[in-house]
Amino acid sequence: MRRKLWCVVTVALTVLATAGIAAAANGGFTPEFAHSPNAHRTNTAYWVVLAFTSVIFVAVEGALVLFIWKYRSRGRARTDDGSQVHGHTRLEVIWTVIPVVILAVIGIVIFYELPAISDAPAAANPVRITVEGHQFYWQFDYPNGSRSINDLHVPAGQVVLLTVRSYDVVHSWWIPQLGGKIQAIPGRTNHTWFKADRAGTYYGQCAEFCGLYHEAMRARVIASTDAEFHTYVSSTAAGELGRAEFQGVCATCHGMQGQGGYGPNLSQNSQLTQKTGLTDIVRNGRGKMPPVGDSWTNAQLNALLQYAKSHVYKGASASGG
Ligand code: CUA
């Protein structure tokens, strides 16, 4: 009797500990807390599937442990056969019907949730933004023509329609709190959307292995009031572009101060201060450096030039750098 109790207690504690670790948000296996209607629906689908699989897991593993204990050898010879059982129609019908019902319920829930995950709700004035994946940064284009790198600014509480493209290889746009992944594929245009339920900063990461600095391809969505959003796109964005380009693109390999890293030190490279030299290298690349700014506008190049002159270039070294 005592052994039976120990057995049950051990199994129960193991199940609880495992479930606790698995369900612990932020670092566990459960989804991020949703802040957009499509993310809510993705999470609902996750929890429905988890509920069924948890019950099945506990039932199957519980039966396994119970049978191991109940039908242990008890001193019988190893060669002894168990009792032979043939056909049990009722049991067979039950173990066929139950899984069919479970799969049907999961299927119904998923097909009910799916349209509102992928299709944006009708909105009077949705904000349309183009997201372009580059090795190794995200570039955002706003309706008024302004551009930002890695930080996407949006108004909270409004439907944001994203047109997702890639400039080079396959990337995957993913801000977990604002909905599921969508791939950025060269030569193809994908669409997704979100509606941030409150002002705040939402973090994401390119979710498709896209090269050496895939892990550096982070993104933030900064949701603010409508007024703050309009201030950002009409004036702030242009002023911040040079810094965003350097920190979001160049710094990945050359360090935040241009001090060097995977790529060489830039702080004493006078090419940084000349428009033609800078344009040539970001447009065409050199050696291991990809043409990161191949698609950049003249305004973008000027912004980078200004930032590099005032914040990165520290003067030629004695040896001529
Ligand atoms: Cu872009 Cu991984």
Side-chain angles (χ1 to χ4, degrees), residues 46-274:
Y46 175 90
W47 288 112
V48 168
V49 174
L50 184 70
F52 279 114
T53 50
S54 302
V55 171
I56 293 167
F57 177 79
V58 171
V60 171
E61 297 305 306
L64 179 68
V65 171
L66 181 71
F67 283 23
I68 287 173
W69 182 78
K70 192 170 177 193
Y71 300 108
R72 66 194 186 282
S73 73
R74 282 201 178 101
R76 283 189 302 262
R78 294 189 76 88
T79 47
D80 282 358
D81 268 350
S83 57
Q84 302 296 307
V85 180
H86 294 281
H88 190 304
T89 311
R90 189 150 56 118
L91 207 55
E92 286 169 11
V93 168
I94 289 171
W95 77 45
T96 307
V97 168
I98 290 178
V100 168
V101 170
I102 291 173
L103 289 176
V105 170
I106 291 176
I108 289 165
V109 171
I110 301 296
F111 282 108
Y112 172 75
E113 301 286 355
L114 209 52
I117 291 173
S118 54
D119 305 336
N125 284 306
V127 180
R128 292 171 197 277
I129 288 163
T130 301
V131 177
E132 197 169 72
H134 288 248
Q135 286 175 313
F136 298 96
Y137 62 95
W138 294 103
Q139 180 173 285
F140 307 108
D141 284 320
Y142 300 87
N144 71 343
S146 61
R147 205 167 242 198
S148 70
I149 305 274
N150 290 350
D151 284 353
L152 170 59
H153 289 253
V154 297
Q158 288 188 39
V159 172
V160 178
L161 301 178
L162 301 179
T163 299
V164 181
R165 298 203 184 99
S166 169
Y167 186 72
D168 35 47
V169 300
V170 180
H171 305 273
S172 181
W173 170 251
W174 192 29
I175 307 289
Q177 294 186 326
L178 300 179
K181 299 169 185 170
I182 189 96
Q183 282 191 315
I185 301 170
R188 192 193 146 97
T189 302
N190 281 341
H191 298 276
T192 188
W193 68 281
F194 63 80
K195 183 175 152 188
D197 61 10
R198 58 168 178 75
T201 304
Y202 305 95
Y203 297 87
Q205 157 80 51
C206 173
E208 183 87 40
F209 182 66
C210 55
L212 192 62
Y213 277 95
H214 156 69
E215 48 79 29
M217 225 176 137
R218 309 221 178 103
R220 294 194 302 179
V221 171
I222 296 153
S224 56
T225 62
D226 199 41
E228 285 169 326
F229 170 70
H230 282 101
T231 308
Y232 177 82
V233 290
S234 57
S235 61
T236 320
E240 282 190 349
L241 191 57
R243 180 196 57 77
E245 286 171 334
F246 189 83
Q247 294 184 348
V249 184
C250 314
T252 303
C253 293
H254 298 283
M256 283 306 243
Q257 277 79 46
Q259 75 275 21
Y262 182 72
N265 184 330
L266 298 177
S267 60
Q268 280 148 3
N269 188 336
S270 61
Q271 193 175 353
L272 237 58
T273 63
Q274 296 150 11

